[in-house]
Amino acid sequence: MKFKPEKITKLIEEIDALVLNIREAEARHQDILDGVCDSYKKSARNLLHYLIFRQVDLRLVQKKLGHLGLSRLAKAEGHVMASLLNSRHILGGLMHEENQKVGKSGLSIKNGEKLLVNHTKELLGFRSKGRRVRIMVTQPTEAAYNYALVHDMAKSGMNCARINCAHDGPDVWKKIIDHIKKSSKSLGREIKITMDLAGPKIRTGAIQPGPKVRKFTPERDEVGRVVNPASILFVKELTEESENHCLPLPEEWLKQLEQGDKIKLTDTREKQRTLKVIQKSQDGLLVNCYETSYIGTGTLLKPERGDLPEVSVGDLPPIEQYLLLRVNDRLTIHRDGIMGEPALFDDDGHVLQQAHVSCQLEEVFAHVRVGERILFDDGKIEGIIDTVEADQFEVLITRAKETGSKLKAEKGINFPTTDLGISGLTQKDREDLHFIAAHADVVNFSFVSRKEDVTELYDELEKLGALNRLSVILKIETRRAYNNLAPILFEAMRARYVGVMIARGDLAVETGWDHIGRVQRELVLLCSAAHIPVIWATQVLESLAKKGLPSRSEITDTTSAIKAECVMLNKGPYITEAIRLLDTILADMESLQEKNAPMLPQLKKLAL
């Protein structure tokens, strides 16, 4: 094959310019490199190289290299200078350059890959046989009381156990940890314990509860005939486990009713209804309802049998209320902790009082500005901040379902374009750190968005004598964290050992669903350049863990996780099945993909 010398010469000049830019940047930023931990000296240097490397559009250079059959630098992130100098050396050979003085990279391709492997082992423990990618599993409260569940998770392939400090408390956490350690000892392998700091909660406040009433609707066919009456269970009292078809009634009264008895009532709409006792059991009385009925606290029930007294339904829990929001509606967000309420209208449909709800984090009111975007409930509802006052601001709803979207209490609020200036560490986090430092291997740091957040965490760990003993995983879940990732990583590399969790759900809401694919990829590449392990999180095999059956899209999504060093599964009743399937998928995919590099094993047919 003939090569055009002038084109190769031009390519050499472009690579030489890149190398020169990188070396000059290294000299300018030596103070940053001097500040990192010894175990990350070469990694920090390579991250700086990568940042300079990516400041130019490399696509044309990549195409030219590819046309020559050379590396296109697409997998150079872990060893930038070595990859550039290797390509430069080969191009010089094609031009028959004598006495090439390319220079030393300081980090070979092989050693760059080794650094990531070693950092991963230190942070997440040893890998399972047959797969490189670790599996992290969120522990449910049940794990504190059910050792067999923890043992099954570990046996199925769990490498790291995650405990979320947003739930339960120290007593439960300690029991879970004891079960993890017992299981680890039983299986003869290490299981790393990671604990999540809850971080600040930006959520909707409480909403005025609805009426204490329950609706019972029979099933009807196409012409309106009842084909299946609604079932009501009369019980002596309600418990936390009671289902929505239960009504509390006096125990002595229930004992006197018999199968076949009929009961009259006037429901909350003044409709006359008749119920029929179908069955008596230890759980209570099963009653059929043949017409739609609204039965509330205090509704009077009168048996047709004259020897039985009239009684009233006991206290029912209120219906969970919500705010129904449509496009162009206005919503007031207030600092006060008063109960939120839906909008009130007059008979002509004019708004008498617009919907309002509180925000649980007071700090946001000092930072929001007119024109900034706001998202609710994982981005299901979107709006623009329209007016701002000291203790409240108004939102114009710009996106919701055509029929209206329901906004409930305790739903997440995101401000993707607002610098909230909020510290990632809350007072609760500082208190929880005492327990984490004493019992965990890794602390997962939520809501990190700038390098100062990392500094604040390290200061707290230093006070506890846990810096460089307790490893750290930074959860990247906001647009601001993504944009600030480089300074965050340089600051994080002051300590050993560090990982990054890509919280894909929150990140997708913040950056937009149309950008999340690119954002994920760039995060993985930046972390690979720093030889920092990546944990792939949010909704991995979620349907399988919760419902027992995975979706096709979940399986496809899971295969993408092979580019990370660890995959996190959330809790669910079918969690052990999810772990086993993930273990199989990861082991199967690793023969075809090593980190970012596709592999080509012998092509095989599937066995029937």
Side-chain angles (χ1 to χ4, degrees):
M1 179 184 290
K2 287 187 177 181
F3 303 112
K4 293 183 178 181
E6 63 273 15
K7 289 191 175 181
I8 296 177
T9 300
K10 175 65 174 173
L11 198 48
I12 288 174
E13 290 173 355
E14 289 176 296
I15 291 177
D16 284 345
L18 268 172
V19 171
L20 180 62
N21 285 343
I22 289 171
R23 294 202 188 284
E24 289 176 346
E26 189 177 328
R28 287 196 307 272
H29 298 289
Q30 192 60 47
D31 57 331
I32 295 176
L33 302 180
D34 290 341
V36 304
C37 177
D38 286 345
S39 60
Y40 277 107
K41 290 288 187 187
K42 292 182 178 180
S43 302
R45 183 170 171 265
N46 187 70
L47 174 59
L48 180 62
H49 291 179
Y50 183 73
L51 292 169
I52 304 303
F53 176 68
R54 289 294 306 278
Q55 281 182 2
V56 296
D57 189 338
L58 294 164
R59 288 175 292 181
L60 189 56
V61 171
Q62 288 180 294
K63 286 180 180 179
K64 291 177 182 177
L65 289 170
H67 292 157
L68 293 169
L70 304 180
S71 165
R72 293 162 59 97
L73 304 175
K75 300 180 288 294
E77 65 276 358
H79 31 74
V80 174
M81 187 61 80
S83 296
L84 286 172
L85 294 181
N86 283 357
S87 295
R88 171 65 177 81
H89 180 74
I90 294 169
L91 290 170
L94 290 174
M95 293 298 294
H96 305 291
E97 288 184 351
E98 295 182 3
N99 302 318
Q100 289 192 52
K101 293 183 180 180
V102 177
K104 293 184 179 181
S105 67
L107 180 66
S108 69
I109 292 174
K110 184 177 180 180
N111 287 337
E113 292 171 349
K114 267 188 177 180
L115 279 173
L116 179 57
V117 169
N118 291 339
H119 292 165
T120 302
K121 185 169 66 175
E122 293 290 347
L123 180 75
L124 301 170
F126 290 91
R127 66 183 181 88
S128 294
K129 187 176 180 181
R131 63 173 160 84
R132 173 186 65 84
V133 179
R134 277 71 167 174
I135 297 175
M136 180 184 293
V137 184
T138 303
Q139 301 298 292
T141 304
E142 184 186 355
Y145 309 101
N146 185 350
Y147 169 71
L149 172 63
V150 178
H151 186 77
D152 285 347
M153 286 191 280
K155 192 175 179 181
S156 297
M158 175 175 71
N159 305 102
C160 316
R162 170 181 175 255
I163 298 170
N164 190 350
C165 293
H167 306 293
D168 303 313
D171 291 342
V172 171
W173 303 338
K174 182 62 167 61
K175 289 175 182 176
I176 294 173
I177 289 168
D178 289 343
H179 282 167
I180 294 166
K181 289 183 175 179
K182 180 180 176 182
S183 178
S184 178
K185 186 176 180 181
S186 170
L187 295 169
R189 59 182 179 81
E190 180 187 34
I191 297 174
K192 290 279 189 177
I193 297 167
T194 73
M195 296 188 71
D196 272 36
L197 294 172
K201 289 184 179 180
I202 310 180
R203 297 182 181 275
T204 53
I207 294 176
Q208 192 73 40
K212 296 183 176 185
V213 65
R214 287 183 172 167
K215 179 184 177 182
F216 302 96
T217 306
E219 183 182 344
R220 298 178 184 271
D221 62 16
E222 290 82 356
V223 297
R225 292 174 298 200
V226 174
V227 294
N228 191 17
S231 294
I232 304 174
L233 186 64
F234 288 173
V235 295
K236 61 182 180 181
E237 62 180 351
L238 295 180
T239 66
E240 290 185 3
E241 290 76 32
S242 295
E243 298 183 19
N244 285 336
H245 69 290
C246 294
L247 294 178
L249 288 153
E251 183 177 9
E252 289 302 316
W253 185 80
L254 293 176
K255 288 179 180 178
Q256 298 176 61
L257 286 169
E258 300 292 342
Q259 184 174 333
D261 279 345
K262 292 183 178 180
I263 303 162
K264 301 285 188 179
L265 64 92
T266 301
D267 78 357
T268 57
R269 302 170 301 158
E270 301 297 321
K271 301 287 186 180
Q272 303 299 313
R273 297 291 184 249
T274 300
L275 310 178
K276 184 177 181 180
V277 179
I278 300 301
Q279 183 183 341
K280 293 188 74 169
S281 69
Q282 291 183 342
D283 296 329
L285 262 69
L286 185 64
V287 179
N288 275 354
C289 172
Y290 299 91
E291 295 181 278
T292 298
S293 302
Y294 290 78
I295 302 176
T297 298
T299 297
L300 295 175
L301 305 185
K302 185 175 182 179
E304 284 191 344
R305 280 170 45 196
D307 58 328
L308 292 179
E310 183 178 76
V311 297
S312 60
V313 174
D315 194 37
L316 295 171
I319 294 173
E320 184 182 13
Q321 189 65 279
Y322 57 83
L323 312 181
L324 187 65
L325 299 172
R326 297 180 175 85
V327 173
N328 292 325
D329 281 354
R330 291 184 177 277
L331 171 67
T332 301
I333 309 293
H334 48 79
R335 186 195 298 261
D336 296 339
I338 58 175
M339 294 279 192
E341 295 174 305
L344 292 178
F345 301 88
D346 63 19
D347 294 338
D348 297 320
H350 299 125
V351 177
L352 297 174
Q353 175 185 294
Q354 64 190 42
H356 66 94
V357 70
S358 66
C359 174
Q360 293 184 16
L361 197 68
E362 292 187 0
E363 289 94 323
V364 304
F365 292 89
H367 298 279
V368 294
R369 299 291 181 266
V370 171
E372 292 176 332
R373 293 169 61 216
I374 183 170
L375 303 164
F376 301 94
D377 193 8
D378 294 333
K380 295 183 180 71
I381 303 168
E382 184 172 346
I384 294 290
I385 297 173
D386 200 35
T387 63
V388 176
E389 299 176 23
D391 293 323
Q392 67 179 45
F393 57 89
E394 280 191 9
V395 176
L396 175 66
I397 303 301
T398 57
R399 182 164 56 82
K401 288 181 181 178
E402 189 174 343
T403 55
S405 295
K406 296 177 180 179
L407 180 61
K408 297 181 178 180
E410 293 291 332
K411 293 300 179 182
I413 307 175
N414 292 83
F415 299 86
T417 57
T418 305
D419 179 6
L420 295 176
I422 298 170
S423 166
L425 278 181
T426 66
Q427 185 55 40
K428 180 183 185 303
D429 293 335
R430 295 173 196 276
E431 294 166 4
D432 291 343
L433 267 176
H434 289 268
F435 181 95
I436 294 170
H439 297 94
D441 301 303
V442 185
V443 56
N444 297 339
F445 187 26
S446 301
F447 215 79
V448 56
S449 61
R450 51 188 184 151
K451 75 171 189 175
E452 289 80 6
D453 294 331
V454 180
T455 306
E456 189 176 9
L457 174 67
Y458 282 5
D459 288 346
E460 287 297 314
L461 291 178
E462 197 159 25
K463 290 175 188 175
L464 295 170
L467 188 65
N468 293 324
R469 177 173 58 79
L470 189 68
S471 299
V472 175
I473 291 175
L474 307 171
K475 292 177 69 176
I476 304 302
E477 49 196 325
T478 67
R479 176 191 292 256
R480 187 167 172 78
Y482 170 71
N483 289 334
N484 289 334
L485 187 62
I488 286 171
L489 292 182
F490 282 122
E491 183 68 10
M493 285 190 281
R494 289 198 301 109
R496 319 164 52 194
Y497 286 94
V498 184
V500 163
M501 180 180 288
I502 305 177
R504 299 182 302 149
D506 290 313
L507 202 54
V509 172
E510 286 264 339
T511 62
W513 294 100
D514 47 346
H515 298 304
I516 186 59
R518 177 176 63 81
V519 167
Q520 288 179 166
R521 175 170 168 74
E522 295 290 15
L523 283 171
V524 171
L525 291 173
L526 278 164
C527 292
S528 296
H531 310 124
I532 287 177
V534 168
I535 297 89
W536 192 268
T538 311
Q539 294 182 326
V540 177
L541 295 179
E542 187 104 335
S543 294
L544 174 56
K546 290 186 175 179
K547 300 176 183 177
L549 187 67
S551 66
R552 285 189 294 271
S553 59
E554 274 185 346
I555 300 298
T556 304
D557 174 64
T558 301
T559 60
S560 301
I562 201 74
K563 297 173 183 177
E565 280 62 56
C566 182
V567 181
M568 191 192 87
L569 292 174
N570 237 324
K571 55 195 175 184
Y574 301 95
I575 187 59
T576 52
E577 289 88 338
I579 297 170
R580 291 189 198 106
L581 179 59
L582 181 57
D583 177 67
T584 301
I585 290 172
L586 292 174
D588 194 42
M589 282 298 299
E590 284 185 16
S591 64
L592 298 171
Q593 182 90 18
E594 183 181 6
K595 186 65 177 172
N596 289 319
M599 305 299 285
L600 298 173
Q602 181 184 4
L603 189 62
K604 295 179 181 180
K605 293 182 178 180
L606 290 175
L608 298 177

